[in-house]
Amino acid sequence: MRKFALLALMLLLAAAALLIPGCSSTSTNPVVYGDTNSVQFQIVQNVVAENSLEGVGNIVDVSWTLYDSIPGVTTSPKSFSSRAALSDDILVVDSFNYSYANGWHIFAFWIWAADTVTHDTVNVTGIDSLQALNNGVPMQVPDTTVDDLYIRAHYDVALRNTNIVGSSDNSLNIVNIDWTQIQPAVIDGSVSENLSGTFSDSEIVIDFNFTNTLNADSIVAVPGSEECPSSGLLSLNSSVDISAIRTIGASVDTLNVQGNWAISAAFNNGSVTVTYYDGTTYWQTTEVCGTPPASPLARWIPHVD
């Protein structure tokens, strides 16, 4: 799958808007099995599904980065530094405040990330609370006996020089951590996020607002690995409100996508089957899993690709 970029949807929407026909409208005769070539489906597929189903992994990446800043900690079992070195992104933890209370390592952080190719920058602020456990007991100074990590986080994001803003609340549990990175861990949890704003260029104006609720159920994966989860299910509910106007000379085309979508992704040893449902119509795709973002904040930066 492509990157699950929260703010990357802006230019994905622009690309999808180029597919707008001379005029468009919502079908009044929905069918049981939808056409995967339809513009509405492709926008939801690119904007909501492929840019949201990667989010759990990216949240974990940011948390592992902060984990390594716990006083006295043994370096995390996450190959973050090597992944970041291979990316086109610059990730800067501008500053953070740290405290430890009731078994939780609490970070109030300020991060900015920049794409060195497109020169886009996003500000991310938030609070990330981490609990590192050994046999169910929280550790103030985590070491290689940590076998579970609990993540409770809130992020606020804002793309510089635009009105695009968003926020995310996350609750994830990573259990059965293997510090040799040979055996997979299991991830369960939930993510809720919203994003709104306007994207425009010389031809297209896109207004958007959407809210996602994502649940991760027994995602089996090796922390730090580029490999697809071997099993598990992601379930996504999304409320979408997107309007696009494209003007080329005297021609004005419009496209509107509104409604609630239920999307699920089932992983199976290197492949993922994604099922979409808009309340009347089903779509389904099966594909080989792609490479996740090289940087933990890649999903929040617009890309033209």
Side-chain angles (χ1 to χ4, degrees), residues 137-191:
V137 179
M139 302 182 68
Q140 184 169 357
V141 182
D143 57 26
T144 54
T145 65
V146 169
D147 49 24
D148 296 340
L149 179 70
Y150 296 165
I151 301 169
R152 306 293 184 267
H154 173 85
Y155 299 158
D156 291 304
V157 299
L159 192 65
R160 293 184 183 178
N161 303 317
T162 75
N163 69 342
I164 298 170
V165 295
S167 64
S168 177
D169 290 286
N170 318 292
S171 175
L172 300 174
N173 295 340
I174 308 173
V175 302
N176 300 326
I177 297 171
D178 177 10
W179 282 67
T180 67
Q181 296 184 269
I182 296 175
Q183 298 300 318
V186 180
I187 301 173
D188 289 281
S190 62
V191 178

Side-chain angles (χ1 to χ4, degrees), residues 104-136:
W104 290 90
H105 303 271
I106 304 167
F107 291 87
F109 64 88
W110 294 262
I111 293 174
W112 62 269
D115 185 298
T116 59
V117 175
T118 63
H119 306 292
D120 293 305
T121 303
V122 63
N123 295 325
V124 184
T125 62
I127 296 177
D128 199 343
S129 299
L130 307 174
Q131 190 171 73
L133 302 101
N134 170 253
N135 290 323

Side-chain angles (χ1 to χ4, degrees), residues 105-297:
H105 303 271
I106 304 167
F107 291 87
F109 64 88
W110 294 262
I111 293 174
W112 62 269
D115 185 298
T116 59
V117 175
T118 63
H119 306 292
D120 293 305
T121 303
V122 63
N123 295 325
V124 184
T125 62
I127 296 177
D128 199 343
S129 299
L130 307 174
Q131 190 171 73
L133 302 101
N134 170 253
N135 290 323
V137 179
M139 302 182 68
Q140 184 169 357
V141 182
D143 57 26
T144 54
T145 65
V146 169
D147 49 24
D148 296 340
L149 179 70
Y150 296 165
I151 301 169
R152 306 293 184 267
H154 173 85
Y155 299 158
D156 291 304
V157 299
L159 192 65
R160 293 184 183 178
N161 303 317
T162 75
N163 69 342
I164 298 170
V165 295
S167 64
S168 177
D169 290 286
N170 318 292
S171 175
L172 300 174
N173 295 340
I174 308 173
V175 302
N176 300 326
I177 297 171
D178 177 10
W179 282 67
T180 67
Q181 296 184 269
I182 296 175
Q183 298 300 318
V186 180
I187 301 173
D188 289 281
S190 62
V191 178
S192 61
E193 61 186 8
N194 63 77
L195 184 71
S196 64
T198 302
F199 169 80
S200 63
D201 62 16
S202 59
E203 295 182 355
I204 301 166
V205 177
I206 299 171
D207 293 301
F208 60 90
N209 187 306
F210 72 83
T211 300
N212 287 341
T213 301
L214 176 70
N215 290 300
D217 183 10
S218 300
I219 303 298
V220 178
V222 176
S225 172
E226 300 292 326
E227 297 179 359
C228 178
S230 60
S231 61
L233 179 68
L234 292 173
S235 301
L236 174 67
N237 289 307
S238 183
S239 175
V240 179
D241 187 352
I242 300 168
S243 62
I245 300 175
R246 182 172 63 125
T247 304
I248 301 178
S251 174
V252 178
D253 300 329
T254 64
L255 176 66
N256 295 286
V257 180
Q258 288 93 22
N260 297 307
W261 289 67
I263 303 169
S264 65
F267 296 98
N268 184 17
N269 295 318
S271 68
V272 57
T273 297
V274 185
T275 303
Y276 306 77
Y277 180 59
D278 69 353
T280 56
T281 305
Y282 288 92
W283 295 261
Q284 190 173 83
T285 64
T286 299
E287 56 191 89
V288 176
C289 288
T291 301
S295 153
L297 293 187

Side-chain angles (χ1 to χ4, degrees), residues 1-9 12 45-59 168 170 172 190-193 195 210 212-216 234-236 265 267 290-301 303 305:
M1 288 192 297
R2 299 187 54 195
K3 311 175 218 182
F4 167 176
L6 184 59
L7 292 183
L9 75 87
L12 285 170
Q45 181 185 40
N46 288 328
V47 172
V48 179
E50 295 187 0
N51 292 316
S52 293
L53 296 177
E54 300 277 353
V56 170
N58 293 305
I59 292 161
S168 177
N170 318 292
L172 300 174
S190 62
V191 178
S192 61
E193 61 186 8
L195 184 71
F210 72 83
N212 287 341
T213 301
L214 176 70
N215 290 300
L234 292 173
S235 301
L236 174 67
F267 296 98
T291 301
S295 153
L297 293 187
R299 68 185 294 254
W300 287 318
I301 302 174
H303 291 271
D305 55 0

